[in-house]
């Protein structure tokens, strides 16, 4: 599939209309969905309406932006007015939001064509999209394997060319890990760079929206469109947004003397040998491009996972208390009184993993345990951030694998939550520190499954991060590979 710039050129030269591009994309979705199940809801009418509006502008000789007429998919935890938003949870099965998230509002304003809402682990809790209340999403490189998660639907939609672009959300790895497992680019921006208004909250101090794309340049274009201050999100940062895509260069500037740090702790036990090999080769490529490579220690990196599984469920237990069946969503009508109604609805509406997190979080926050768990986890969070701070005194960018393994078989980890949690071992510390990070494809294992390289940047250095990722991508061929769409 063409890049965003190519599609844009085709549109302005009138070689193809937005309606044609959208129709072809919707047809491809129709064809592939029975195998993949990336989407929970397809907004074909809205897409055609938006495409027509762009074509009218072009016909009228008006200038259009880079995203005008470009189809894209949105993870189903971002509210769109009048369009069902379920978070892949039965409890929100019939919920139609009365308001629009800032990100989708910005996309609509840019003339983007919204194809539909993509599948996820229920309330973004999971690493395989198997926790969806509406069935799993399949990995296009091997349909018997998981897509990764929680933004599995968005990753698969982009990997399988059902959409050139998609939005995901990342609380502990939910953009980067599925991007890695599906062989696409996925980026989590600095906490506060992209507005969370209208994103259904999972763990508010960690959640961040970001792009999925087939190239770094396409991801940079989408990031530029959604980033920027929003008064409706209290954690939104008031910063200038550079033109990320314009700043990309095929090589590092020879005078830049870029210093890249390899996080020592990520090469320990549990790392798949083939992942290790490909990531090390990728680091050599970065060196050949002119970067100075150093091994860096982040001694508390490994404590990210346990700290996260206190902090994230604690915030989730508070955020999810609002699903009480009163205003919207599922309701058990047979209950005899209000408390019974809450209990029955929540017992029926939430899946196992969500219930586990609510219980973990409620426990960690309860009187007597708060200091031992929640407070301690917050202290660990600070230490992890300090490790990154001292690492960034020595280097400009950090690298490590995105995920310790390639895509695993569906069902392989569903009975063992700890194994599932380990899939985000290398992405979680980044959220705890609020840093930006991107996963780019860096090879395949012997089964033909994609491997991802994670690049981590200093706060608000998305520009540099994307430059490094782009230079790496341009000197490799991985992003040209196409998935087999078969079961192996
Ligand atoms: N897999 C992690 C979790 O289950 C991260 C999810 C996410 O980033 N939304 O919490």
């Amino acid at each position: 599939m063409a890049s965003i710039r190519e599609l844009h050129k085709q549109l302005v030269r009138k070689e193809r209309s937005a309606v044609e591009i959208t129709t072809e994309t919707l047809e491809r979705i129709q064809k592939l969905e029975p195998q993949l199940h990336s989407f929970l809801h397809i907004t074909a009418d809205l897409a055609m309406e938006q495409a027509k509006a762009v074509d009218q502008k072009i016909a009228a000789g008006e200038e259009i932006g880079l995203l005008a007429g470009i189809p894209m998919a949105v993870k189903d935890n971002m509210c769109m007015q009048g369009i069902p938003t379920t978070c892949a949870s039965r409890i929100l099965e019939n919920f139609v939001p009365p308001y629009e998230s800032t990100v989708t509002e910005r996309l609509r304003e840019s003339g983007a064509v919204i194809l539909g809402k993509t599948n996820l682990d229920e309330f973004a809790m999971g690493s395989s999209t198997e926790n969806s209340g509406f069935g799993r999403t399949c990995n296009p490189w091997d349909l018997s394997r998981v897509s990764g998660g929680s933004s599995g639907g968005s990753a698969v939609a982009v990997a399988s060319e059902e959409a050139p672009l998609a939005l995901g959300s990342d609380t502990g790895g939910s953009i980067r890990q599925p991007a890695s497992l599906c062989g696409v680019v996925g980026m989590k921006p600095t906490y506060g760079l992209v507005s969370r208004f209208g994103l259904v909250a999972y763990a508010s101090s960690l959640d961040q929206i970001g792009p999925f794309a087939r190239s770094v340049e396409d991801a940079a274009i989408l990031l530029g469109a959604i980033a920027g201050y929003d008064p409706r999100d209290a954690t939104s940062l008031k910063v200038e947004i550079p033109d990320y895509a314009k700043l990309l260069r095929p090589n590092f500037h020879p005078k830049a003397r870029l210093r890249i740090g390899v996080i020592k702790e990520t090469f320990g036990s549990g790392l798949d040998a083939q992942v290790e090999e490909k990531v090390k080769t990728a680091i050599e490529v970065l060196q050949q491009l002119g970067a100075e490579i150093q091994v860096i220690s982040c001694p508390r990196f490994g404590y990210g996972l346990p700290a996260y599984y206190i902090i994230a469920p604690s915030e989730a237990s508070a955020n999810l208390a609002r699903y009480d069946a009163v205003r919207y969503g599922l309701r058990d009508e047979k209950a005899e009184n209000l408390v019974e109604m809450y209990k029955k609805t929540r017992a029926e509406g939430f899946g196992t993993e969500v219930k586990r997190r609510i219980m973990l979080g409620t426990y960690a926050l309860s009187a007597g345990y708060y200091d031992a768990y929640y407070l301690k986890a917050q202290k660990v969070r600070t230490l992890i951030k300090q490790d990154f701070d001292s690492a960034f005194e020595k280097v400009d960018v950090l690298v490590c694998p995105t995920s310790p393994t390639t895509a695993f078989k569906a069902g392989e980890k569903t009975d063992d939550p700890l194994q599932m949690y380990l899939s985000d071992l290398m992405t979680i510390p980044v959220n705890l520190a609020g840093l930006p990070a991107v996963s780019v494809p860096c090879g395949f294992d012997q089964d033909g499954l994609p491997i991802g390289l994670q690049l981590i940047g200093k706060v608000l250095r998305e520009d540099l991060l994307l430059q490094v990722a782009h230079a790496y991508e341009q000197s490799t061929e991985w992003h040209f590979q196409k998935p087999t769409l078969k079961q192996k």
Side-chain angles (χ1 to χ4, degrees), residues 299-335:
R300 274 83 51 121
F301 197 88
Y303 297 125
L305 191 83
Y308 173 88
Y309 277 99
I310 297 291
I311 295 168
S314 296
E315 295 184 20
S317 70
N319 278 327
L320 270 57
R322 73 189 59 157
Y323 304 105
D324 59 3
V326 176
R327 286 288 294 278
Y328 49 79
L330 186 80
R331 178 187 293 186
D332 189 305
E333 300 286 358
K334 296 181 293 287

